[in-house]
Amino acid sequence: MKIALEQGNIVQADADLIIVNLFQGVTMPGGATGAVDRALAGAISDVIAAGDFTGKSGETLVLYTRGAIPAPRVLVVGLGEAGKFDGRAARTAAAAAARKARELGVKRVATIVHGAGIGGMEPATAAAALVEGTRLGLYRYAGHRSQPPKDWKPDPEMLIVVERNAAQLAALADGVARGEAVAQGVNLARDLVNTPANRMTPTVLAERAAALAQETGLRFQALGRAECKALGMGIFMAVAEESEQEPQFIILEHNAGRDDLPTIVLAGKGVTFDSGGISLKPGEEMWKMKGDMAGAAAVIAALGVAARLQLPVHVVGLAPCAENLPGGRAQKPGDVFTGMMGKTMEVISTDAEGRMLLADALAYAARFKPAAVVDIATLTGAQAIALGPHAAAFFANDEALAAKLQAAAEASGDRLWRLPLYEEYAEAIKSQVADVKNSAGRYAGIGASAKFIEHFTEGYPWAHVDMASLALAEEDKPVQPKGATGYGVRLFVSLLEAWGR
Ligand code: BES
Ligand code: MN
Ligand code: ZN
């Protein structure tokens, strides 16, 4: 589907379907919706008066215009309560409308920009939300079926964003471009996460990162087993030991060599499949562990967006990638390994492998002398139990960085909830035989995991995002089809944008 921006009047738009909107509880539609209502002799206000359409967030109403205006169909989408309207609501409206348009089988669609009216959002923000919501809502994972499902209708061919006010067009065009880049990034992360583990090995992930680098001008490097061993990444390598798949330590850089810009390192857990290793997981839902590289996917995709938007920051993306499998050479509970920093670690559970990858990645991060390091990982089941699929947990050892992340979460809609880094958690991961152990057992599992990672950060402000519950969505929502979410991409883009400002 192509998205184009045009100046004009939505009432006169030449399209198979025009999209307007309504806030919840409004009885007399105004603005563009009011103009369409008048052209249709009050057809929209009739439906509202009858109580059959209330403007709830994501609610849709389709009316047929019977020659009153050029377009044969009008879709009114609900924006929810005016007082609660934000980017999230704008994206939901756009997604619900786009999905309804696809269901109707229309080819040419015209829409107004939701929320850009008087007293609304900045036009660029509203346009970006429109494009993001549309593209994210229409996302489908093509998968590996021999035939596409019979009930899949094709996307509309064209979405025309119509704006009356010529003075707003430039800002809207900026917003459309930003929305396109961000949506492309989120949907890339979704594709990487949805792809089954046998087709998304560390090597394939590195190839995909290399292709993205080629397209966007990022600097790319991937270190294999021999190079990681030579660097002394003994903790990362302990996880990768049993897999036939070569581990990959992916390094992407945007604005490489620009010493004048602040350096932000993003590091993502890339376990392409987590069986638990010798501390084997139960079989029932083990397939979901194909999504255990969602942190790496978010980092790789966010770097692509940073490059496409030419954000004025030096960004380094690190993605340590490996499979976690049991076998004759596999790491065992009780084993001790030495990481890149020279610190030693005792294995309590081979299923606490994500923090092991991150330990060496965060040691590696120090060489960039970063202004901040943020890691992201599907790290603990405890995070999922605590917050459900509604927010990721985060930890930070620096207040300024915590505030920036929190603001990025607000701006992007990729929700975060902060948890503490108590010293008691450090007590809980003290080992009898090594500097630290990789699990403290059942209680406060998430705090111990964060404290473990902090142990391997030195010389920079650091934050950690645990997104275990956000890799794969079980519920279908307008902006978030069931399956991989692409969580983290929008969070990081917002963070990097704010840093560059
Ligand atoms: N990848 C899992 C965490 C996870 C669980 C992600 C559910 C997504 C959904 C991680 O490697 C893991 O196994 N964590 C263990 C750690 C424990 C052994 C200390 C956990 O949380 O149970
Ligand atoms: Mn695990
Ligand atoms: Zn894992």
Side-chain angles (χ1 to χ4, degrees):
M1 185 181 72
K2 273 203 193 126
I3 299 184
L5 180 63
E6 278 178 19
Q7 198 215 334
N9 179 355
I10 191 86
V11 179
Q12 298 306 328
D14 163 30
D16 303 316
L17 170 75
I18 60 169
I19 299 171
V20 291
N21 61 40
L22 192 79
F23 280 114
Q24 195 167 348
V26 170
T27 49
M28 270 314 288
T33 311
V36 174
D37 186 44
R38 282 190 298 281
L40 301 184
I44 298 174
S45 31
D46 276 358
V47 180
I48 299 168
D52 296 350
F53 182 75
T54 61
K56 266 202 318 233
S57 175
E59 193 185 1
T60 55
L61 164 71
V62 181
L63 293 172
Y64 296 83
T65 63
R66 311 188 71 200
I69 61 173
R73 302 172 194 80
V74 175
L75 189 158
V76 189
V77 64
L79 300 180
E81 288 172 40
K84 290 189 184 160
F85 188 76
D86 59 2
R88 183 177 273 255
R91 284 189 299 275
T92 300
R99 283 202 188 187
K100 187 70 193 178
R102 179 165 67 191
E103 212 179 291
L104 292 169
V106 294
K107 292 204 167 105
R108 204 177 147 83
V109 181
T111 184
I112 57 166
V113 180
H114 309 301
I118 302 145
M121 289 188 271
E122 296 273 321
T125 310
L130 173 70
V131 172
E132 282 176 30
T134 302
R135 295 264 188 231
L136 300 182
L138 290 177
Y139 174 83
R140 285 186 294 218
Y141 177 58
H144 309 275
R145 304 170 176 92
S146 47
Q147 298 285 323
K150 287 206 175 56
D151 58 347
W152 276 23
K153 296 213 174 142
D155 288 350
E157 284 166 10
M158 182 86 180
L159 178 71
I160 307 146
V161 181
V162 181
E163 170 58 44
R164 266 199 98 121
N165 182 354
Q168 291 214 340
L169 284 183
L172 292 178
D174 280 352
V176 169
R178 181 192 186 274
E180 289 280 24
V182 171
Q184 195 178 1
V186 176
N187 286 341
L188 167 64
R190 288 173 171 182
D191 275 342
L192 298 176
V193 174
N194 276 326
T195 305
N198 67 326
R199 293 166 190 258
M200 191 48 65
T201 61
T203 303
V204 175
L205 199 46
E207 284 165 7
R208 298 294 297 269
L212 179 70
Q214 191 83 56
E215 273 167 44
T216 59
L218 292 165
R219 179 168 176 250
F220 167 85
Q221 212 188 335
L223 314 176
R225 194 170 250 135
E227 289 151 298
C228 291
K229 280 195 174 152
L231 279 167
M233 294 184 171
I235 298 181
F236 171 31
M237 285 304 100
V239 175
E241 192 57 42
E242 187 50 36
S243 175
E244 300 278 331
Q245 295 296 334
E246 173 101 352
Q248 299 284 330
F249 191 90
I250 301 169
I251 307 156
L252 287 173
E253 248 181 288
H254 165 60
N255 282 329
R258 286 281 303 273
D259 297 335
D260 55 318
L261 299 174
T263 300
I264 312 297
V265 177
L266 305 175
K269 168 179 173 181
V271 175
T272 56
F273 189 74
D274 181 12
S275 71
I278 296 295
S279 313
L280 196 64
K281 286 183 181 298
E284 203 176 337
E285 296 210 308
M286 201 197 273
W287 67 269
K288 289 186 179 166
M289 288 301 120
K290 73 172 185 174
D292 213 20
M293 34 58 76
V299 168
I300 291 167
L303 265 284
V305 181
R308 287 203 167 101
L309 295 179
Q310 300 182 303
L311 299 182
V313 262
H314 172 215
V315 194
V316 180
L318 304 177
C321 301
E323 276 187 339
N324 186 23
L325 294 177
R329 283 170 309 166
Q331 58 162 334
K332 304 169 291 296
D335 287 356
V336 172
F337 297 97
T338 307
M340 194 181 164
M341 285 174 126
K343 289 186 181 172
T344 60
M345 185 217 80
E346 179 188 9
V347 179
I348 297 300
S349 171
T350 65
D351 199 10
E353 85 296 342
R355 63 199 74 181
M356 295 175 67
L357 267 57
L358 290 174
D360 279 331
L362 293 188
Y364 189 85
R367 69 173 56 196
F368 297 99
K369 305 203 173 4
V373 177
V374 183
D375 77 72
I376 183 162
T378 47
L379 208 68
T380 67
Q383 181 276 327
I385 301 293
L387 297 170
H390 312 296
F394 90 102
F395 298 81
N397 65 5
D398 180 273
E399 293 312 305
L401 177 57
K404 284 199 168 86
L405 253 186
Q406 207 122 42
E410 294 279 319
S412 67
D414 274 355
R415 285 200 190 125
L416 282 177
W417 191 261
R418 191 174 182 186
L419 292 174
L421 282 165
Y422 294 140
E423 265 321 298
E424 283 85 344
Y425 301 137
E427 283 298 315
I429 51 169
K430 281 198 170 149
S431 162
Q432 300 288 307
V433 295
D435 295 332
V436 69
K437 61 183 182 185
N438 79 340
S439 168
R442 192 167 150 74
Y443 291 107
I446 190 169
S449 73
K451 214 62 193 173
F452 175 93
I453 297 169
E454 188 188 26
H455 194 80
F456 296 89
T457 65
E458 239 169 59
Y460 50 74
W462 158 80
H464 158 62
V465 176
D466 190 339
M467 58 161 292
S469 65
L470 288 132
L472 297 169
E474 288 178 21
E475 206 187 317
D476 186 68
K477 292 198 189 126
V479 197
Q480 171 53 70
K482 187 172 168 163
T485 66
Y487 178 91
V489 176
R490 290 172 345 92
L491 175 72
F492 284 150
V493 172
S494 288
L495 180 73
L496 297 172
E497 277 179 335
W499 220 293
R501 231 173 261 138

